[in-house]
Amino acid sequence: MLKSQLQRETIPQFCPSLAEEKWHPLFPKNDTDMTLRSLEGTLYGVSSLTLRKTCGFFATLFTLPPPHLSETPEHLRTDELREPLDVYESDTVLSLILSLLCGLPIPPWGSINHAESVLNLAEKWDAPDPISTIRSTLFTIQFYTSDPLRLYAIARHFDWHNEAGAMRIHTLALNLRDPVHSDILARISSKHISSLLDLHQGRKETFKKLLNSPERFTTGNREPSYCTRCGTTKIDNSTWHAYKKVLLAEIERRPLGDTIGLLYGGLSDCAEARACWEARCNKKGCGGLCYDRCTTLKQIRNCVSSLWTLVEDSRAVFGPAMY
């Protein structure tokens, strides 16, 4: 915001001498009629006409002369524009938004922090063009694989429905109950948090039902269960029940389910899984395997694949699907 509107006690005051003036290389003094000054004291030469045309905030500001100039003839007021206006933003943020406003190229976003800071300033300044540009460049695989919840919060804040729907799917890689996400969740409305929680909880409950289905896992879930080799010996399914607990804990931690049902590595080789694959009929002369590793894991994977019917109305629309 501008110095004429907000005074912050915690903001350092800048009183550089003329010899100490530091102009940003992309926005030199030249013949510009307006100067902005960043938190670091860097000066930016810009056109007041550009700011009027691109920012509703400045368009309104320039129609209201400062009180001490109210009696000054209009043609003498232009000197006021040449006085630096303190913009309480960093050089990183200010240079990016001015580049967007002036049609200059900008580098790829180095972090969501930079993009969100520019978005916030563009919103304060009522500058739709930078917001539109950032919207088209922010939702990349670099960011939605690393911080989908934050992107979801941004999309909901700006009512970007398509992007919000996509990020809603990508949050399935997260455990929303982890305290690390509390700050971001606090920024999202209760309605939209409920939407997220319903999706996550729905997948977990459905996976549990599928995993407990006696039709899908006959040997493990039917009581009593008998050895498929000899057909007469009752099987102890305790190893299968222990393995199901591991799978349910994993879907709780990561509702996406992409780590579940893999034929090799991960949960297919954990201690509980190995106990399943090694379990045998205890009848003398039989010793048949209780659970077929490949068949069981493929069926578990089919259960995970079935979960996507829960999100048909909001499939991801950016980049390759995560599943």
Side-chain angles (χ1 to χ4, degrees):
M1 300 301 291
L2 300 184
K3 183 178 180 181
S4 58
Q5 288 205 326
L6 291 178
Q7 291 293 338
R8 303 180 184 177
E9 294 180 359
T10 58
I11 300 298
Q13 299 299 314
F14 302 109
C15 301
S17 66
L18 292 178
E20 297 172 334
E21 285 185 349
K22 179 179 66 173
W23 290 83
H24 193 282
L26 292 179
F27 302 94
K29 186 175 183 179
N30 294 342
D31 296 324
T32 56
D33 64 344
M34 186 170 186
T35 302
L36 302 180
R37 184 161 51 197
S38 71
L39 274 173
E40 293 88 344
T42 306
L43 300 176
Y44 294 75
V46 292
S47 165
S48 61
L49 179 61
T50 297
L51 294 182
R52 285 190 182 99
K53 287 185 174 182
T54 58
C55 305
F57 173 76
F58 285 100
T60 301
L61 181 69
F62 292 142
T63 63
L64 303 172
H68 67 282
L69 294 181
S70 58
E71 303 301 325
T72 306
E74 185 174 352
H75 70 280
L76 297 179
R77 297 176 189 168
T78 55
D79 287 341
E80 179 71 9
L81 295 176
R82 295 189 177 94
E83 289 295 320
L85 291 174
D86 285 327
V87 180
Y88 294 105
E89 301 289 345
S90 69
D91 280 325
T92 300
V93 174
L94 190 54
S95 62
L96 284 171
I97 194 169
L98 291 179
S99 293
L100 288 169
L101 292 173
C102 297
L104 299 178
I106 62 170
W109 299 108
S111 71
I112 298 180
N113 286 338
H114 291 160
E116 188 171 17
S117 295
V118 177
L119 271 175
N120 291 337
L121 184 55
E123 186 177 29
K124 291 177 187 176
W125 284 3
D126 188 15
D129 288 346
I131 293 176
S132 178
T133 299
I134 295 172
R135 179 182 184 180
S136 67
T137 59
L138 183 58
F139 296 87
T140 64
I141 189 171
Q142 171 191 358
F143 294 139
Y144 69 63
T145 55
S146 63
D147 206 346
L149 185 60
R150 189 170 181 185
L151 289 178
Y152 178 79
I154 293 172
R156 284 304 186 193
H157 175 79
F158 286 95
D159 290 327
W160 297 339
H161 299 296
N162 287 341
E163 291 84 350
M167 295 306 105
R168 179 171 175 262
I169 304 305
H170 291 299
T171 64
L172 290 171
L174 309 176
N175 178 4
L176 296 183
R177 302 191 185 281
D178 190 323
V180 72
H181 303 304
S182 58
D183 288 344
I184 299 298
L185 288 173
R187 296 165 42 184
I188 304 172
S189 70
S190 58
K191 177 179 71 173
H192 294 137
I193 288 179
S194 294
S195 173
L196 282 181
L197 293 178
D198 287 347
L199 174 64
H200 285 232
Q201 190 61 34
R203 286 177 66 86
K204 291 180 283 191
E205 291 298 327
T206 300
F207 182 68
K208 182 177 181 180
K209 290 178 181 178
L210 294 173
L211 208 58
N212 288 330
S213 168
E215 288 75 28
R216 286 179 177 265
F217 302 96
T218 303
T219 301
N221 290 333
R222 283 187 177 173
E223 294 293 346
S225 295
Y226 295 93
C227 172
T228 57
R229 183 174 180 180
C230 68
T232 59
T233 307
K234 186 177 178 180
I235 291 176
D236 177 6
N237 284 318
S238 59
T239 56
W240 168 245
H241 294 314
Y243 187 38
K244 283 197 297 184
K245 289 182 180 180
V246 172
L247 297 175
L248 292 173
E250 179 65 8
I251 202 74
E252 177 75 26
R253 183 190 73 84
R254 190 176 173 88
L256 185 63
D258 57 335
T259 58
I260 295 174
L262 303 179
L263 291 179
Y264 301 99
L267 295 182
S268 66
D269 288 325
C270 67
E272 292 81 358
R274 290 196 303 271
C276 270
W277 316 144
E278 295 169 2
R280 292 180 177 272
C281 174
N282 58 16
K283 181 180 180 180
K284 186 176 180 179
C286 180
L289 290 172
C290 295
Y291 315 101
D292 180 85
R293 175 191 174 110
C294 289
T295 301
T296 303
L297 289 173
K298 286 180 179 178
Q299 188 60 261
I300 292 172
R301 194 62 198 164
N302 288 339
C303 292
V304 174
S305 298
S306 299
L307 300 179
W308 289 108
T309 58
L310 293 173
V311 293
E312 285 181 348
D313 59 335
S314 55
R315 291 185 182 276
V317 294
F318 295 101
M322 293 180 65
Y323 51 94

